[in-house]
Amino acid sequence: MNVSCALSDARAILSDQTEAEILLSFAMRRKREFLISHPEAKILPTALRRFRMLSAKRSSGVPIAYLTGHKEFYGLDFCMEPGVFIPRPETEILVEEVFNVYRKNYELRMTNYKLRICDIGTGSGCLAITLAKHLSKAHVTAVDISPKALKLAKKNAQIHSVADRITFFKSDLLDVIASKVKQSPFDIIITNLPYIGLNEDNFVSKEVLDYEPAQALFGGETGLELFEKLFQQIIAMRFKPQWLIAEIGFSQQQALAKLIKKYFGNTAVLWKNDLAGLPRMFTIFFNKSASLRSA
Ligand SMILES: C[S@@+](CC[C@H](N)C(=O)[O-])C[C@H]1O[C@@H](n2cnc3c(N)ncnc32)[C@H](O)[C@@H]1O
C-alpha cells in the first residue's frame, strides 16, 4: 500500500486529514513533508499495522499527543505521555508576558541580571523549559504535585539542555518552597493552575475528561480554590515575588478580581485577552518601585 491509499482509507475513521498525516508520518518514522511530497511512497507492513492501530485509537478519542508522545509548544518539541497535561497554544501568552516583563523591568536596567522564575504546576515543563531556553541567564524553580509530571518535565529539561538551570520540587503549590526560603526567592511566579470548577465539567470535551489527568484540570468546586490557596501562601511568604502571572478560565475575570482585591488590596493588575478577545491571563505587580506596563 502507498501513502495516498493509506490516507484515503483512514478517512473512514479519521475526519481530520492533518491528524491522519501526523499519525502516518509517526508510524513510518518519516517527516510529514515527505508524505505530502511522496504520495506514491510504499509503506512497510509493520508501519501500516502501526498506522491502523494508531488511527483506531485516535478515533476512539485518545489525544494525538499521547499517541505520538510529542507536542509542540512555543516552537519547541516536548515529550508527552498519558497522565501529564498536554500544553495548549493559548498558554503561550504567559511566555510572551514574562518576556515583556523581563524586557521592560530587568533587561534594560540590570545587564546580566539572573531572573528568578517559579513555575507552579509545571506539568510537562513546557513553561519552565521554554523560559529557561529563551532567557539564558534565568534560573527556574518548577513545582508540581504530580510525580509523573515532574519525571517527564525533568526528561524534557534534559532534552532541551536546560536541566542545570531548573530546580524541580514536588510540592503542593508553594508549600515546600515557602518553608525553605531564607531570602527573596523569585522575581516572577508564573502559573497555569487547574482552573475548571467541578460543576463546569460540561464545558470540557469528553476527550479531555476521559484522557487528561483530573488533577491537572479541576480547581475545586468553583475552579478558584488553588488560586485562593496560592494567594494565601504568597501573603504568608516573608519575601514576596514581584510579579505573579497566571492563566485563567475565560469566565473567571470578575471572580478573580474580587479574590485578588481580598488578598492583595488595590495592587496593580493587568488583564490580557486571548485571540478570541476573552480574558485569559492576569499579571499582578507587587512592588511599587517599578511600573506595570502592558505590551
Ligand atoms: C493545567 S496543568 C498545566 C501544566 C503546564 N504548566 C502547562 O501549561 O501545560 C496544571 C498542573 O498543575 C499541577 N497541579 C495540580 N494541583 C497542584 C498543586 N496543588 N500544587 C502543584 N501543582 C499542582 C498538575 O499536576 C498539572 O501538571
Side-chain angles (χ1 to χ4, degrees):
M1 168 140 347
N2 68 22
V3 165
S4 166
C5 294
L7 288 174
S8 147
D9 283 1
R11 268 184 222 126
I13 55 168
L14 292 179
S15 52
D16 188 320
Q17 168 81 6
T18 307
E19 288 195 351
E21 286 169 7
I22 291 171
L23 291 180
L24 183 55
S25 71
F26 179 71
M28 290 176 70
R29 308 203 198 296
R30 306 295 301 243
K31 285 204 178 315
R32 206 174 131 218
E33 294 73 24
F34 172 85
L35 265 56
I36 294 166
S37 55
H38 295 84
E40 77 298 341
K42 290 265 176 291
I43 308 173
L44 292 173
T46 45
L48 190 58
R49 269 199 301 280
R50 210 178 303 134
F51 174 56
R52 286 180 174 151
M53 185 263 293
L54 291 167
S55 302
K57 285 191 176 171
R58 179 66 196 120
S59 75
S60 73
V62 183
I64 199 152
Y66 290 158
L67 293 173
T68 60
H70 291 272
K71 176 75 185 175
E72 189 186 304
F73 180 82
Y74 211 82
L76 296 175
D77 179 57
F78 288 88
C79 287
M80 280 295 124
E81 58 187 44
V84 181
F85 185 80
I86 302 166
R88 306 297 203 268
E90 55 268 28
T91 304
E92 293 180 356
I93 58 170
L94 298 193
V95 176
E96 293 289 345
E97 183 65 1
V98 174
F99 293 164
N100 189 31
V101 164
Y102 174 67
R103 268 194 307 269
K104 290 179 175 166
N105 297 279
Y106 298 92
E107 190 178 31
L108 298 179
R109 295 181 194 177
M110 297 168 260
T111 351
N112 288 330
Y113 185 72
K114 292 191 170 67
L115 195 68
R116 299 153 309 162
I117 301 169
C118 179
D119 172 26
I120 302 178
T122 197
S124 60
C126 59
L127 286 168
I129 292 163
T130 303
L131 293 170
K133 197 88 191 148
H134 284 266
L135 301 170
S136 60
K137 294 198 179 61
H139 188 279
V140 185
T141 300
V143 309
D144 206 291
I145 203 160
S146 153
K148 196 162 196 176
L150 284 168
K151 192 165 169 228
L152 184 66
K154 283 179 192 167
K155 177 177 164 186
N156 278 321
Q158 299 253 343
I159 290 170
H160 287 291
S161 312
V162 288
D164 58 329
R165 282 187 298 112
I166 305 183
T167 310
F168 292 95
F169 287 104
K170 180 178 179 302
S171 174
D172 181 353
L173 305 177
L174 288 168
D175 259 1
V176 168
I177 315 272
S179 62
K180 291 199 169 152
V181 160
K182 299 243 169 0
Q183 54 175 342
S184 182
F186 309 119
D187 302 298
I188 300 174
I189 291 181
I190 184 169
T191 186
N192 177 16
L193 291 174
Y195 53 64
I196 301 169
L198 285 172
N199 50 3
E200 289 176 334
D201 68 353
N202 51 338
F203 292 120
V204 188
S205 75
K206 184 165 163 18
E207 180 174 320
V208 172
L209 287 176
D210 284 353
Y211 291 98
E212 295 199 58
Q215 197 175 38
L217 303 173
F218 295 103
E221 200 68 43
T222 60
L224 300 180
E225 268 175 31
L226 289 170
F227 281 104
E228 184 149 20
K229 189 168 176 186
L230 177 62
F231 294 169
Q232 288 165 350
Q233 289 180 340
I234 291 175
I235 292 274
M237 276 170 99
R238 201 145 68 90
F239 301 100
K240 303 213 177 350
Q242 284 200 304
W243 310 85
L244 171 62
I245 299 172
E247 181 170 322
I248 65 170
F250 65 86
S251 62
Q252 293 177 324
Q253 182 177 14
Q254 261 192 342
L256 267 166
K258 269 196 200 147
L259 211 55
I260 291 169
K261 189 150 191 186
K262 175 177 164 192
Y263 285 98
F264 304 122
N266 289 323
T267 314
V269 188
L270 175 75
W271 302 90
K272 276 197 179 166
N273 295 348
D274 61 15
L275 292 175
L278 299 167
R280 294 307 304 275
M281 192 203 85
F282 69 77
T283 301
I284 299 182
F285 177 58
F286 292 107
N287 185 332
K288 292 194 169 49
S289 67
S291 58
L292 180 68
R293 284 164 293 185
S294 127

